[in-house]
Amino acid sequence: MSNVQAVKVQFLFDFGSPNAYLSDRVIPDIERRTGVKFDYVPVLLGGIFKLTGNASPAETLKDIKNKRDYMTIETARFLRRHGITGFRSNPFFPVNTLQLMRGAVAAQALGLFEPYFRAVYHHMWEEPKKMDDPQVMRSALTASGLDFDLIAAKSQEPAVKSRLMELTQDAVNRGAFGSPTFFVNDEMFFGKDQLRDVEDEIVVQLGAAKPRVAAVGGSAP
């Protein structure tokens, strides 16, 4: 096994998290610099909140003076730092993402994950729509060239529903309490602002995974 293969990096996402969207915009640069590909793992953020007693910032920060304003400033800084220009706040936020996340699991099973993922994020955070409205979802994904009926039918299969719940429970079991969450092997990181630490950890683990080369006429120390 190569050192790259020895480092497993997972990105636990829910389409309803704007910070997960912003993280996805940065991940390709990290993949290019490190040579390590991220595994995209769908989880249900509402399920994680229920299992951990957590809540969305819209709830937890509503009565806290100044913090929401600061988060807006911090997001603007992140956008500038990474040259992200297409992001738009969704006026329908928060959006119930249950069907969208089941669709992500279904799309993975159908080999359609990449176009589905890109289409949903486009309609959530670039040309924002109320994506928990079934007709809006259908129109948006069909306009993006996806077979909505195929994905929708697959998403209703018991195995797909169970898989999303399993991934969500596994995330909590490993320590997750929100999205975006990242795992570099067993090291957990939370939030888009930890991506620099994620990259640092990848580099550290790549170095640790390098095979030792025995000296001529002797053995490796």
Side-chain angles (χ1 to χ4, degrees), residues 2-186:
S2 71
N3 57 323
V4 170
Q5 292 173 321
V7 180
K8 183 177 182 180
V9 184
Q10 295 175 302
F11 167 42
L12 280 56
F13 74 94
D14 183 301
F15 291 122
S17 166
N19 288 325
Y21 166 85
L22 294 173
S23 297
D24 169 70
R25 298 300 307 274
V26 177
I27 285 172
D29 290 335
I30 299 175
E31 291 178 327
R32 186 180 65 255
R33 288 190 293 263
T34 64
V36 175
K37 299 292 288 184
F38 284 55
D39 291 330
Y40 281 52
V41 181
V43 294
L44 186 62
L45 189 53
I48 289 179
F49 286 165
K50 183 176 181 180
L51 290 167
T52 61
N54 198 2
S56 73
E59 293 182 58
T60 60
L61 300 182
K62 65 181 180 179
D63 296 321
I64 300 178
K65 183 176 177 61
N66 297 333
K67 190 168 183 179
R68 292 188 71 173
D69 291 339
Y70 173 76
M71 289 180 66
T72 300
I73 294 170
E74 186 275 331
T75 297
R77 289 173 180 161
F78 189 92
L79 295 173
R80 288 195 302 270
R81 182 186 311 131
H82 297 287
I84 299 171
T85 59
F87 174 73
R88 302 288 182 271
S89 295
N90 192 315
F92 304 103
F93 184 82
V95 173
N96 185 321
T97 59
L98 176 60
Q99 294 305 319
L100 291 171
M101 299 315 300
R102 285 175 176 171
V105 176
Q108 285 182 331
L110 293 167
L112 298 172
F113 179 73
E114 182 66 19
Y116 177 84
F117 179 88
R118 295 297 159 204
V120 174
Y121 261 158
H122 175 75
H123 294 292
M124 277 290 295
W125 300 111
E126 294 171 358
E127 292 185 7
K129 299 173 180 65
K130 185 173 172 52
M131 291 293 283
D132 53 2
D133 182 312
Q135 291 306 313
V136 171
M137 187 191 310
R138 171 186 288 276
S139 296
L141 297 183
T142 300
S144 292
L146 290 163
D147 187 335
F148 176 83
D149 291 331
L150 175 66
I151 296 171
K154 184 73 175 177
S155 71
Q156 295 307 305
E157 292 182 3
V160 168
K161 295 179 180 180
S162 295
R163 180 59 177 161
L164 179 59
M165 291 298 98
E166 289 167 4
L167 292 170
T168 301
Q169 183 67 62
D170 181 63
V172 172
N173 292 345
R174 297 178 70 189
F177 51 85
S179 173
T181 295
F182 308 90
F183 285 96
V184 183
N185 287 334
D186 292 326

